[in-house]
């Protein structure tokens, strides 16, 4: 048995989500092979080769793989000859986008967003916005799986010495072409992996008021997140959204400010180690999951909090 | 151009879902069902493309039991021209749904298929991408903006780092994200009109697709409970607790 992990990266760095996916692969029997598909991404393959738990790295490079479009990644993965019992990718927008294509072409029913591995064919995954946890057994010969990164602790990034092999990069389908990207530039840690997250909701009132949360975040070395309501209202960009249909986070400390605690929001943060809620409504459901609740106007509490840190 | 919209009937987003005591699934008896919110957004987008003169016909399709007729009538009331129910009493997995939709696509010949990015029950986020691969079409997933011009569609996608724009050859698959549009409500006259619009029924068995399940649900359980914490009286107390009790700052 051999597991193939499809690496998420930006052609220069291997993403944290990949290290978590490798950790999940190590819970399965057999070797772990990492496929790095991309453009000018030799350094990513070198990082993967050094990662703990990796037995071999496959490097598939082509200019059209630069933006990792789903149709082309599909071709690159399908071009690999090895016989893999399991194919894994992170359940990020990268994995969610391309993995079902591979699954369909292999005639396999994908298991999405697993949070635990019971055995080589049985996995746990949340359904209904995390209101229920299903244990699912796959009867397909191969397993195609996306992994919730926050559920698996990443292994060491150094220490390994796997070989790197150049492999076929498939073909450019030209079904889809890259036009451009508008990425949120931030000096702050990545929302998905930050140790502390400070999130704001509709209660923030407007985008300018989010500056207050940014100041608080900088004091704590935190990432800034938001509820759907805050994103829909245009206070912050879409990639801030935490929840069932946004990002899943599980930091050591999650501070929810002016967020009511709708089930869809809780789905994205309730596995945080310590939750703090600041809300002026003492009946707000967020208090039911908060370790520390402060019933107060956020415009009074947040400046005070910044002051006392 | 013809647009096919795939819609799924799910437990309403506002219902508090309860796990059955025997861990076999969740309670669905006497629970309010609705169109999956992402599918509503897909219907709305298709109807807007028709109103702009880009789409000529909007066909809604759902795979499921007889009650899905009700969901399809909602799609008709929102502006779809025709509906197709592929009837089955089995709960199909995304791969089977994608294979079934492929058959419907071959019969209907749309140039675009719009789907929700995920359904809020299964949370799989697979069907659209699988359909794209099976058809050999390009895909624009998690769309927050869709433009159609000269046999191509430009799709802006919500990705983890922000927004990405791609251009797809038509025919293509597009899956919707939350901010693509705000679905309208069906007006009473349109609900009445919808009753007279065509709603065809096909038996799943007649399509000759292998829809056998590949997975078994062993159990469905409640997630681990978070115990309710405490209320602090002041910011000073909060900081003290975070430092000395939780030791996280
Ligand atoms: C299909 C679907 C998917 C969804 N996906 C997500 C998702 O991924 N993520 C997500 O977050 N939501 C999601 N939602 C939306 C979710 O249901 C809620 O609508 C949303 O989370 C509410 O955001 P909020 O808590 O910021 O706003 P509200 O519910 O309006 O809460 C605002 C809170 O701020 C408090 N407040 C106001 N002013 C102050 C003040 N001055 N000081 C202190 N407190 C104040 C209020 O007491 C209130 O509790 C989804 C919904 C659907 C239907
Ligand atoms: C707790 C639980 C247990 C389950 N157990 C089983 C089981 O044992 N066996 C089993 O077969 N299934 C089971 N299911 C159902 C199954 O997991 C999914 O609900 C189903 O496979 C469809 O996946 P999805 O809707 O999440 O797909 P997604 O890929 O998330 O759906 C995305 C989009 O695809 C389209 N779409 C999806 N389904 C349809 C449809 N029927 N008609 C038209 N368009 C559609 C819609 O546009 C939708 O927005 C279970 C579900 C749950 C929640």
């Amino acid at each position: 048995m051999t597991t193939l992990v499809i690496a998420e990266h930006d052609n220069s760095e291997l993403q944290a989500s990949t290290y978590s996916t490798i950790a999940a692969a190590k819970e399965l029997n057999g070797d772990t092979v990492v496929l790095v598909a991309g453009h000018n991404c030799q350094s990513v393959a070198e990082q993967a080769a050094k990662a703990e738990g990796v037995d071999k790295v496959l490097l598939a490079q082509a200019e059209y793989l630069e933006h990792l479009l789903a149709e082309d990644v599909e071709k690159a993965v399908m071009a690999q000859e090895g016989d893999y019992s399991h194919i894994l990718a992170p359940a990020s927008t990268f994995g969610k986008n391309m993995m079902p294509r591979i699954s369909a072409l292999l005639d396999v029913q994908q298991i999405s967003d697993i949070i635990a591995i019971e055995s080589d064919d049985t996995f746990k995954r949340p359904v209904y916005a995390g209101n229920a946890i299903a244990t699912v057994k796959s009867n397909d010969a191969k397993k195609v799986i996306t992994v919730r990164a926050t559920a698996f602790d990443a292994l060491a990034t150094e220490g390994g010495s796997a070989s790197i092999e150049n492999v076929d990069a498939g073909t450019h389908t030209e079904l889809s072409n890259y036009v451009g990207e508008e990425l949120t530039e931030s000096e702050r840690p990545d929302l998905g992996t930050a140790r502390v997250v400070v999130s704001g909701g509709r209660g923030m009132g407007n985008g300018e008021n989010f500056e207050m949360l940014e100041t608080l975040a900088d004091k704590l070395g935190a990432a800034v997140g938001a509820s759907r309501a805050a994103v829909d209202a245009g206070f912050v960009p879409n990639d801030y959204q935490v929840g069932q249909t946004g990002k899943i986070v599980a930091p050591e400390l999650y501070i929810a400010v002016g967020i009511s605690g709708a089930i869809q929001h809780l789905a994205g943060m309730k596995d945080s180690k310590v939750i703090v809620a600041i809300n002026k409504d003492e009946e707000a459901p967020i208090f039911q999951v908060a370790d520390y609740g402060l019933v107060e106007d956020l415009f009074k509490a947040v400046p005070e909090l910044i002051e006392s840190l | 151009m013809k647009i096919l919209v795939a819609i799924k009937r799910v437990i309403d987003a506002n219902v508090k879902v309860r796990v059955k005591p025997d861990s076999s699934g969740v309670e669905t008896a006497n629970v309010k069902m609705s169109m999956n919110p992402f599918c509503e957004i897909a219907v709305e987008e298709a109807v807007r493309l028709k109103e702009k003169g880009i789409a000529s016909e909007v066909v809604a399709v759902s795979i499921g039991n007889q009650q899905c007729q009700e969901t399809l009538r909602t799609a008709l009331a929102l502006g779809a021209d025709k509906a197709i129910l592929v009837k089955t009493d089995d709960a199909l997995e995304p791969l089977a749904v994608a294979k079934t939709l492929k058959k419907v696509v071959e019969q209907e010949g749309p140039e675009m298929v719009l789907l929700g990015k995920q359904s809020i029950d299964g949370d799989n986020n697979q069907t659209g991408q699988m359909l794209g691969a099976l058809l050999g079409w390009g895909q624009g997933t998690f769309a927050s903006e869709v433009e159609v011009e000269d046999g191509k569609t430009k799709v802006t996608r919500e990705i983890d780092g922000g927004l990405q724009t791609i251009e797809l050859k038509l025919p293509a698959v597009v899956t919707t994200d939350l901010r693509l549009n705000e679905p309208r409500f069906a007006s009473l006259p349109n609900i009445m009109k919808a009753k007279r619009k065509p709603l065809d029924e096909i038996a799943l068995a007649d399509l000759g697709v292998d829809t056998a399940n590949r997975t078994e649900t062993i159990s469905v359980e409640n997630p681990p409970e978070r115990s309710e914490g405490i209320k602090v009286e002041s910011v000073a107390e909060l900081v003290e607790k975070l430092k000395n009790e939780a030791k996280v700052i």
Side-chain angles (χ1 to χ4, degrees):
Chain A
M1 290 203 345
T2 306
T3 298
L4 181 69
V5 170
I6 304 173
E8 176 168 23
H9 63 88
D10 59 6
N11 294 311
S12 64
E13 304 240 1
L14 198 59
Q15 309 285 291
S17 59
T18 306
Y19 289 101
S20 299
T21 306
I22 294 168
K26 294 321 287 178
E27 291 187 26
L28 298 162
N29 284 303
D31 284 357
T32 301
V33 174
V34 175
L35 172 67
V36 176
H39 178 50
N40 284 338
C41 56
Q42 176 77 32
S43 65
V44 178
E46 283 159 15
Q47 291 162 47
K50 273 195 246 144
E52 182 187 348
V54 176
D55 298 293
K56 187 161 125 188
V57 177
L58 306 178
L59 176 58
Q61 298 196 88
E63 203 177 331
Y64 56 79
L65 284 172
E66 181 174 359
H67 301 290
L68 297 171
L69 299 177
E71 298 80 358
D72 296 334
V73 176
E74 169 211 302
K75 291 277 183 274
V77 175
M78 295 305 286
Q80 302 316 312
E81 309 217 311
D83 185 18
Y84 299 104
S85 54
H86 296 75
I87 305 180
L88 269 57
S92 55
T93 52
F94 163 73
K96 286 174 177 167
N97 188 36
M98 59 83 192
M99 204 61 155
R101 292 187 76 99
I102 293 157
S103 192
L105 294 181
L106 293 172
D107 198 28
V108 168
Q109 174 52 54
Q110 175 179 314
I111 314 283
S112 291
D113 208 13
I114 63 162
I115 55 169
I117 295 174
E118 303 289 287
S119 71
D120 286 337
D121 62 11
T122 305
F123 312 92
K124 283 189 191 289
R125 61 178 299 265
V127 288
Y128 293 101
N131 272 310
I133 306 293
T135 303
V136 186
K137 176 170 182 283
S138 163
N139 293 322
D140 282 311
K142 287 178 190 292
K143 324 291 180 210
V144 176
I145 294 167
T146 61
V147 175
R148 180 175 290 200
T150 53
F152 295 88
D153 289 331
L155 300 179
T157 56
E158 298 284 336
S161 58
S163 62
I164 301 176
E165 187 185 320
N166 283 300
V167 293
D168 189 356
T171 46
H172 184 25
T173 64
E174 293 182 47
L175 290 170
S176 171
N177 283 300
Y178 174 84
V179 177
E181 247 163 22
E182 233 179 89
L183 300 184
T184 305
E185 299 287 340
S186 168
E187 299 291 304
R188 292 187 194 92
D190 178 60
L191 184 53
T193 51
R195 199 187 68 83
V196 181
V197 172
V198 178
S199 281
R202 200 196 312 268
M204 295 306 297
N206 60 41
E208 284 81 74
N209 291 337
F210 257 82
E211 281 169 22
M212 206 159 66
L213 294 192
E214 285 164 8
T215 311
L216 177 59
D218 290 341
K219 288 240 168 180
L220 293 164
V224 179
S227 71
R228 174 189 173 183
V231 177
D232 283 2
F235 301 170
V236 287
N238 65 280
D239 50 292
Y240 281 46
Q241 183 178 315
V242 170
Q244 178 190 14
T245 59
K247 282 191 186 139
I248 309 290
V249 303
E252 278 184 42
L253 173 60
Y254 187 90
I255 306 182
V257 183
I259 292 179
S260 63
I263 193 75
Q264 292 89 355
H265 187 79
L266 301 186
M269 46 64 79
K270 71 177 173 194
D271 292 329
S272 306
K273 196 162 148 258
V274 175
I275 298 174
V276 170
I278 301 175
N279 195 305
K280 66 179 178 188
D281 172 13
E282 66 175 323
E283 301 293 322
I286 189 78
F287 289 123
Q288 288 162 21
V289 300
D291 299 284
Y292 303 107
L294 177 61
V295 183
E296 190 149 30
D297 192 299
L298 69 94
F299 296 102
K300 178 169 175 288
V302 176
E304 248 182 79
L305 188 53
I306 293 169
E307 202 53 32
S308 56
L309 288 171
Chain B
M1 110 175 158
K2 190 176 188 174
I3 299 184
L4 187 73
V5 188
I7 60 179
K8 187 178 184 193
R9 184 179 166 86
V10 299
I11 294 182
D12 188 90
N14 297 310
V15 170
K16 170 96 181 81
V17 172
R18 282 178 211 289
V19 170
K20 286 187 191 166
D22 67 358
S23 297
S24 65
V26 304
E27 291 292 352
T28 50
N30 302 319
V31 167
K32 184 177 178 218
M33 304 290 285
S34 298
M35 191 188 301
N36 180 38
F38 289 96
C39 301
E40 273 181 50
I41 296 172
V43 173
E44 177 66 31
E45 195 63 18
V47 171
R48 287 189 191 185
L49 286 168
K50 191 179 171 199
E51 286 166 351
K52 283 189 206 150
I54 293 167
S56 50
E57 191 187 7
V58 176
V59 180
V61 55
S62 191
I63 303 156
N65 59 18
Q66 197 63 38
Q67 280 80 44
C68 291
Q69 275 214 3
E70 194 191 347
T71 318
L72 286 167
R73 287 283 171 213
T74 307
L76 293 170
L78 292 170
D81 300 295
K82 176 177 115 170
I84 302 170
L85 170 61
V86 181
K87 230 176 101 178
T88 172
D89 286 329
D90 302 333
L92 300 192
E93 294 170 348
L95 181 63
V97 172
K99 287 180 180 177
T100 307
L101 289 174
K102 177 171 182 262
K103 284 277 173 189
V104 176
V105 168
E106 284 160 3
Q107 290 179 3
E108 292 292 318
E111 277 184 88
M112 183 184 281
V113 184
L114 274 163
L115 303 93
K117 80 163 177 182
Q118 84 192 59
S119 60
I120 59 164
D121 52 358
D123 281 337
N124 279 303
N125 200 326
Q126 299 176 3
T127 309
Q129 297 89 312
M130 287 182 158
L131 178 63
L134 293 176
L135 289 165
W137 291 8
Q139 68 181 39
T141 54
F142 328 144
S144 67
E145 214 181 314
V146 176
E147 287 171 61
V148 180
E149 222 174 357
D150 305 329
K152 289 194 173 137
T153 177
K154 208 153 114 187
V155 178
T156 302
R157 312 176 49 234
E158 295 200 358
I159 59 169
D160 288 338
L163 296 171
Q164 181 189 64
T165 305
I166 54 171
E167 195 175 67
L168 302 164
K169 274 194 191 142
L170 290 173
V173 170
V174 174
T175 77
T176 61
D177 216 319
L178 293 168
R179 280 158 287 272
L180 181 57
N181 60 49
E182 238 178 273
R184 69 195 69 188
F185 292 98
S187 67
L188 197 55
N190 285 341
I191 294 172
M192 300 311 288
K193 257 204 263 171
K195 294 193 173 144
R196 293 190 303 274
K197 289 186 180 175
L199 196 164
D200 300 343
E201 267 187 43
I202 315 175
L204 176 65
D206 291 347
L207 288 176
V209 209
D210 166 21
T211 55
N213 281 344
R214 309 301 188 76
T215 69
E216 285 166 57
T217 303
I218 309 280
S219 67
V220 176
E221 278 154 304
N222 281 309
E225 282 279 324
R226 256 198 110 89
S227 50
E228 194 168 339
I230 56 158
K231 292 256 168 63
V232 292
E233 293 304 321
S234 65
V235 167
E237 189 187 345
L238 175 64
V239 172
E240 188 273 320
K241 294 276 186 209
L242 290 178
K243 276 195 177 135
N244 302 323
E245 195 175 270
K247 300 192 168 63
V248 284
I249 60 170

